[in-house]
Amino acid sequence: MEKHIQTFLNKISYLAITIATFTLLLVFLFQTPPETCINPNHKPHPKSSCDAAHRPITTIEKKNHRLWSTHTWRKSVDSFSAIFNDLRTLKHISNHTHALIVSAGGGQAVMSLKEIGLHEITGVEVVDSPPLVSRADPHNLPFFDGVFNLGFSAHLDLALFSIELVLEDIRDDDLQCLYYTNYI
């Protein structure tokens, strides 16, 4: 009789597992979440707290205007302008100079060159910061040789492979001057 009881209990267990599985499937398939939890205009599963927050999206122009109007930004741009004005005095820079700013950060050096009158400036950084800085690997620049007359970096000390970064810029045959500074 123990064998019959064991078989009966096994059948009841299988039946209970089957019923529970179907119940869970029905709940997941036909359950609708309350409207207060999910906004239909947003992604169903936010990847960060910023995605879930209900705040307006800031345009790049508005963000840049806010950043560029800060005292810290202006002070940094003015410092770079002093360096570049010295280079202009030494006749290393003219309005027709094609400049490459390596490890440009947020673009303070690019903006200062634009303010002193250069037209052809390319700023590169690992992370882009439009409209001043484009994304490129400073150790493997995607430019042809002979494109730039001036190479500049204020953050050579922060480069992962600083020797390779300098060699990459020196390979440019027509580069008239190459300036690296430890600007802080």
Side-chain angles (χ1 to χ4, degrees), residues 46-106:
K47 295 186 184 318
S48 71
S49 60
C50 293
D51 291 343
H54 299 290
R55 56 185 152 167
I57 296 174
T58 305
T59 63
I60 289 182
E61 291 82 18
K62 190 173 182 179
K63 179 184 148 207
N64 285 341
H65 176 70
R66 198 175 335 153
L67 175 67
W68 295 344
S69 63
T70 62
H71 175 70
T72 307
W73 179 273
R74 200 63 246 161
K75 184 178 173 184
S76 180
V77 169
D78 292 341
S79 296
F80 279 119
S81 293
I83 293 169
F84 295 135
N85 280 327
D86 289 344
L87 292 177
R88 177 170 270 193
T89 304
L90 295 171
K91 306 274 190 230
H92 291 294
I93 296 178
S94 70
N95 287 350
H96 303 293
T97 300
H98 293 204
L100 172 66
I101 310 297
V102 180
S103 297

Side-chain angles (χ1 to χ4, degrees), residues 133-153:
V133 180
S134 300
R135 182 176 182 220
D137 180 12
H139 299 95
N140 187 17
L141 295 171
F143 304 111
F144 292 112
D145 289 344
V147 175
F148 301 104
N149 307 99
L150 169 74
F152 180 83
S153 177

